[in-house]
Amino acid sequence: MKKINLGCGERYTKGWINLDFNSHHPDVVCHNLLSPFPFHDEEVDVIYNSHFLEHFSREEAKKILTECHRVLKKKGIIRIVVPDLENICREYLKLIDNIEDIESQEKYQWVIIELLDQMVRTEKWGLMNIYWQQIVEKDNQFMIDYINSRMGYDIRQYYTKAELPNASKSQNFNLTKIKTEFLNWYIKLIKNLLPPAYRQSINDNTMLGEKHKWMYDKYSLRCLLQEAQFSHIRFLDATTSNIPNFCNDHLDINLDGTPYRESSLYCEAYK
Ligand SMILES: C[S@@+](CC[C@H](N)C(=O)[O-])C[C@H]1O[C@@H](n2cnc3c(N)ncnc32)[C@H](O)[C@@H]1O
């Protein structure tokens, strides 16, 4: 069975063809997924992508889903996980309705980052990182619990281990990772030699994998999938899938069975 994981980031796993334009590992195929996929028509059984589609404009996302439809076999399955716009908006409205309450004011600081900073940020992790570090340094357990409940394992993994001061960085170096580090350093150097206006436009393009350009709720994701000719669109949860043995790959769940990314929308559709 041929299964592909688009924009896998650090979530690559055996048994899948993992694609991303940032490859730090030989198991991840380096490919810009805005270009035609490196597969023939109707060659693939399953396509998975998580927290990937929101990094593209709606038009680009439609192009990507159309490409997914081309490479999928008939009755092939696509599984999409994206941040849930409705969930974030409902949380925002609940908090703003109770904004005189001190706890709501604290939570509001985070929700506004979830809703807006992810779209406008110009640095990796943006305000998320700064805010998370602040609350961890203050040992604000109330907010740590709240943010973990919103983000799930994702934030604990990336921030507590990798980003906090004094945290030990991964020593898992390999040639692909060194090449990527060197390329990133080179791009940074070239960017800094350019006039500021060009620098800004290049920054906007290279932030593709960092910034959210669009968000989806059940209705808009269904419409997008229908436009790309998919059918039998269903919304599930982190532990439910029509992909055989999907839970065993632990893409959407942690080893303890909890969702890897909380507050997400899980959708599957068929060609
Ligand atoms: C937020 S990460 C999600 C990673 C992983 N799927 C997960 O759920 O943790 C988005 C990923 O999409 C990748 N990406 C963004 N634009 C891409 C493109 N045009 N081609 C290939 N990968 C892209 C980024 O490099 C990044 O690894």
PDB file of all heavy atoms in Angstrom, residues 16 32 49 59 65 71 165-166 169 189 215 231 247 258:
ATOM      1  N   TRP A  16       5.535   5.071   5.300  1.00  0.00           N
ATOM      2  CA  TRP A  16       4.969   6.197   4.564  1.00  0.00           C
ATOM      3  C   TRP A  16       6.065   6.837   3.719  1.00  0.00           C
ATOM      4  O   TRP A  16       7.247   6.788   4.089  1.00  0.00           O
ATOM      5  CB  TRP A  16       4.431   7.264   5.532  1.00  0.00           C
ATOM      6  CG  TRP A  16       3.215   6.843   6.292  1.00  0.00           C
ATOM      7  CD1 TRP A  16       3.181   5.984   7.348  1.00  0.00           C
ATOM      8  CD2 TRP A  16       1.868   7.261   6.058  1.00  0.00           C
ATOM      9  NE1 TRP A  16       1.887   5.833   7.791  1.00  0.00           N
ATOM     10  CE2 TRP A  16       1.057   6.610   7.020  1.00  0.00           C
ATOM     11  CE3 TRP A  16       1.256   8.116   5.143  1.00  0.00           C
ATOM     12  CZ2 TRP A  16      -0.324   6.785   7.072  1.00  0.00           C
ATOM     13  CZ3 TRP A  16      -0.121   8.306   5.200  1.00  0.00           C
ATOM     14  CH2 TRP A  16      -0.903   7.629   6.162  1.00  0.00           C
ATOM     15  N   ASN A  32       8.995  20.588  -3.053  1.00  0.00           N
ATOM     16  CA  ASN A  32       8.070  21.707  -2.888  1.00  0.00           C
ATOM     17  C   ASN A  32       6.699  21.255  -3.374  1.00  0.00           C
ATOM     18  O   ASN A  32       6.504  21.026  -4.574  1.00  0.00           O
ATOM     19  CB  ASN A  32       8.562  22.923  -3.692  1.00  0.00           C
ATOM     20  CG  ASN A  32       7.624  24.105  -3.515  1.00  0.00           C
ATOM     21  OD1 ASN A  32       6.568  24.003  -2.867  1.00  0.00           O
ATOM     22  ND2 ASN A  32       7.987  25.234  -4.092  1.00  0.00           N
ATOM     23  N   ASN A  49      -2.078  14.630   5.564  1.00  0.00           N
ATOM     24  CA  ASN A  49      -1.339  15.869   5.880  1.00  0.00           C
ATOM     25  C   ASN A  49      -1.908  16.486   7.132  1.00  0.00           C
ATOM     26  O   ASN A  49      -3.117  16.508   7.344  1.00  0.00           O
ATOM     27  CB  ASN A  49      -1.310  16.842   4.698  1.00  0.00           C
ATOM     28  CG  ASN A  49      -2.662  17.251   4.221  1.00  0.00           C
ATOM     29  OD1 ASN A  49      -3.288  18.134   4.778  1.00  0.00           O
ATOM     30  ND2 ASN A  49      -3.146  16.584   3.172  1.00  0.00           N
ATOM     31  N   GLU A  59      -6.431  29.317  -2.819  1.00  0.00           N
ATOM     32  CA  GLU A  59      -6.186  28.892  -4.211  1.00  0.00           C
ATOM     33  C   GLU A  59      -5.072  27.853  -4.278  1.00  0.00           C
ATOM     34  O   GLU A  59      -5.164  26.863  -4.999  1.00  0.00           O
ATOM     35  CB  GLU A  59      -5.835  30.110  -5.094  1.00  0.00           C
ATOM     36  CG  GLU A  59      -7.046  30.833  -5.644  1.00  0.00           C
ATOM     37  CD  GLU A  59      -8.094  29.888  -6.223  1.00  0.00           C
ATOM     38  OE1 GLU A  59      -7.769  29.168  -7.180  1.00  0.00           O
ATOM     39  OE2 GLU A  59      -9.233  29.850  -5.712  1.00  0.00           O
ATOM     40  N   LEU A  65      -4.848  20.082  -3.355  1.00  0.00           N
ATOM     41  CA  LEU A  65      -5.852  19.004  -3.235  1.00  0.00           C
ATOM     42  C   LEU A  65      -6.192  18.409  -4.607  1.00  0.00           C
ATOM     43  O   LEU A  65      -6.467  17.210  -4.715  1.00  0.00           O
ATOM     44  CB  LEU A  65      -7.117  19.518  -2.544  1.00  0.00           C
ATOM     45  CG  LEU A  65      -6.973  19.839  -1.052  1.00  0.00           C
ATOM     46  CD1 LEU A  65      -8.333  20.104  -0.432  1.00  0.00           C
ATOM     47  CD2 LEU A  65      -6.273  18.719  -0.286  1.00  0.00           C
ATOM     48  N   VAL A  71      -3.183  11.957  -8.019  1.00  0.00           N
ATOM     49  CA  VAL A  71      -2.283  10.828  -7.733  1.00  0.00           C
ATOM     50  C   VAL A  71      -2.975   9.693  -6.961  1.00  0.00           C
ATOM     51  O   VAL A  71      -2.465   8.580  -6.927  1.00  0.00           O
ATOM     52  CB  VAL A  71      -0.990  11.273  -6.984  1.00  0.00           C
ATOM     53  CG1 VAL A  71      -0.225  12.300  -7.802  1.00  0.00           C
ATOM     54  CG2 VAL A  71      -1.265  11.778  -5.584  1.00  0.00           C
ATOM     55  N   PRO A 165      15.528  28.204  27.278  1.00  0.00           N
ATOM     56  CA  PRO A 165      16.933  28.376  27.582  1.00  0.00           C
ATOM     57  C   PRO A 165      17.432  27.178  28.382  1.00  0.00           C
ATOM     58  O   PRO A 165      16.673  26.607  29.170  1.00  0.00           O
ATOM     59  CB  PRO A 165      16.980  29.631  28.450  1.00  0.00           C
ATOM     60  CG  PRO A 165      15.668  30.276  28.318  1.00  0.00           C
ATOM     61  CD  PRO A 165      14.690  29.267  27.833  1.00  0.00           C
ATOM     62  N   ASN A 166      18.649  26.800  28.190  1.00  0.00           N
ATOM     63  CA  ASN A 166      19.314  25.685  28.889  1.00  0.00           C
ATOM     64  C   ASN A 166      18.821  24.304  28.471  1.00  0.00           C
ATOM     65  O   ASN A 166      19.294  23.308  28.961  1.00  0.00           O
ATOM     66  CB  ASN A 166      19.170  25.766  30.423  1.00  0.00           C
ATOM     67  CG  ASN A 166      19.589  27.115  30.935  1.00  0.00           C
ATOM     68  OD1 ASN A 166      20.509  27.720  30.392  1.00  0.00           O
ATOM     69  ND2 ASN A 166      18.906  27.601  31.949  1.00  0.00           N
ATOM     70  N   LYS A 169      19.707  20.550  23.081  1.00  0.00           N
ATOM     71  CA  LYS A 169      19.279  20.423  21.685  1.00  0.00           C
ATOM     72  C   LYS A 169      19.546  19.008  21.200  1.00  0.00           C
ATOM     73  O   LYS A 169      20.447  18.343  21.688  1.00  0.00           O
ATOM     74  CB  LYS A 169      20.051  21.410  20.812  1.00  0.00           C
ATOM     75  CG  LYS A 169      19.843  22.844  21.239  1.00  0.00           C
ATOM     76  CD  LYS A 169      18.927  23.557  20.282  1.00  0.00           C
ATOM     77  CE  LYS A 169      18.663  24.963  20.770  1.00  0.00           C
ATOM     78  NZ  LYS A 169      17.528  25.595  20.285  1.00  0.00           N
ATOM     79  N   LEU A 189      22.232  34.910   5.039  1.00  0.00           N
ATOM     80  CA  LEU A 189      23.323  35.820   4.679  1.00  0.00           C
ATOM     81  C   LEU A 189      22.948  36.615   3.434  1.00  0.00           C
ATOM     82  O   LEU A 189      23.043  37.842   3.405  1.00  0.00           O
ATOM     83  CB  LEU A 189      24.600  35.003   4.428  1.00  0.00           C
ATOM     84  CG  LEU A 189      25.829  35.816   4.039  1.00  0.00           C
ATOM     85  CD1 LEU A 189      26.411  36.513   5.270  1.00  0.00           C
ATOM     86  CD2 LEU A 189      26.887  34.921   3.411  1.00  0.00           C
ATOM     87  N   MET A 215      -7.521  29.611   7.257  1.00  0.00           N
ATOM     88  CA  MET A 215      -7.953  28.652   8.287  1.00  0.00           C
ATOM     89  C   MET A 215      -9.280  28.056   7.839  1.00  0.00           C
ATOM     90  O   MET A 215     -10.014  28.661   7.073  1.00  0.00           O
ATOM     91  CB  MET A 215      -8.114  29.362   9.628  1.00  0.00           C
ATOM     92  CG  MET A 215      -6.817  29.967  10.106  1.00  0.00           C
ATOM     93  SD  MET A 215      -6.146  29.264  11.583  1.00  0.00           S
ATOM     94  CE  MET A 215      -7.324  29.531  12.808  1.00  0.00           C
ATOM     95  N   SER A 231     -15.198  13.012  -2.479  1.00  0.00           N
ATOM     96  CA  SER A 231     -16.556  12.701  -2.002  1.00  0.00           C
ATOM     97  C   SER A 231     -16.494  11.978  -0.661  1.00  0.00           C
ATOM     98  O   SER A 231     -15.399  11.710  -0.151  1.00  0.00           O
ATOM     99  CB  SER A 231     -17.279  11.843  -3.034  1.00  0.00           C
ATOM    100  OG  SER A 231     -16.569  10.635  -3.189  1.00  0.00           O
ATOM    101  N   CYS A 247      -3.981   4.208  13.501  1.00  0.00           N
ATOM    102  CA  CYS A 247      -3.583   4.586  14.874  1.00  0.00           C
ATOM    103  C   CYS A 247      -2.223   3.994  15.257  1.00  0.00           C
ATOM    104  O   CYS A 247      -1.504   4.573  16.069  1.00  0.00           O
ATOM    105  CB  CYS A 247      -4.649   4.180  15.883  1.00  0.00           C
ATOM    106  SG  CYS A 247      -6.052   5.292  15.795  1.00  0.00           S
ATOM    107  N   THR A 258      -3.363   9.929  23.663  1.00  0.00           N
ATOM    108  CA  THR A 258      -3.942  11.283  23.657  1.00  0.00           C
ATOM    109  C   THR A 258      -3.642  11.944  22.305  1.00  0.00           C
ATOM    110  O   THR A 258      -2.655  11.601  21.655  1.00  0.00           O
ATOM    111  CB  THR A 258      -3.348  12.154  24.794  1.00  0.00           C
ATOM    112  OG1 THR A 258      -1.918  12.161  24.641  1.00  0.00           O
ATOM    113  CG2 THR A 258      -3.724  11.621  26.151  1.00  0.00           C
TER     114      THR A 258
END
